[in-house]
Amino acid sequence: QAQFVESGGGLVQPGGSLRLSCTASDRQFSRYAIGWYRQAPGKQRELVVSITGGGFSNYVNDVKGRFTISRDNAKNTVYLQMNSLKPDDTAVYYCNCPEDLIPWGQGTQVTVSS
């Protein structure tokens, strides 16, 4: 079964940047839309941004202009460049297929704090 492995999280000060990576084990990776989700403490997991196999992306308003999603189908990897980070961006970040969810990976912790 396909799996996702997320990486790249860490502790960053407000206004800083991080680049997350999500690597899939599925050879059919390029066919699927992939989304980055996040779950903050005490809150439900939410879809933040997604990208289709063809590279079209869709962002929630809160991250527009700050986050950029991209994908490298040859590497089975989706990236999330996060700039101008805010404390409210603190969460565990996961990737998955919005149209056909698979079991969640471990995620990667992003903490924005001074």
Side-chain angles (χ1 to χ4, degrees), residues 100-112:
D100 188 13
L101 293 175
I102 67 172
W104 296 93
Q106 295 294 312
T108 186
Q109 175 71 48
V110 172
T111 303
V112 185

Side-chain angles (χ1 to χ4, degrees), residues 34 36 49-51 57 59 67-71 78-80:
I34 305 293
W36 278 101
V49 57
S50 61
I51 186 168
S57 56
Y59 299 83
F67 291 9
T68 303
I69 192 171
S70 61
R71 68 190 296 162
V78 172
Y79 303 98
L80 184 64

Side-chain angles (χ1 to χ4, degrees), residues 13-86:
Q13 292 186 344
S17 299
L18 284 173
R19 188 193 194 203
L20 307 184
S21 298
C22 164
T23 301
S25 62
D26 190 346
R27 295 181 180 180
Q28 306 299 320
F29 171 84
S30 63
R31 295 185 178 183
Y32 304 117
I34 305 293
W36 278 101
Y37 298 74
R38 67 185 179 187
Q39 186 167 20
K43 296 186 178 180
Q44 288 190 334
R45 196 171 330 208
E46 62 172 345
L47 178 62
V48 174
V49 57
S50 61
I51 186 168
T52 67
F56 292 99
S57 56
N58 189 40
Y59 299 83
V60 296
N61 287 336
D62 184 45
V63 305
K64 281 182 180 178
R66 300 190 299 122
F67 291 9
T68 303
I69 192 171
S70 61
R71 68 190 296 162
D72 184 339
N73 289 334
K75 296 182 178 180
N76 278 16
T77 300
V78 172
Y79 303 98
L80 184 64
Q81 178 67 43
M82 305 188 297
N83 299 327
S84 302
L85 283 162
K86 306 174 182 179

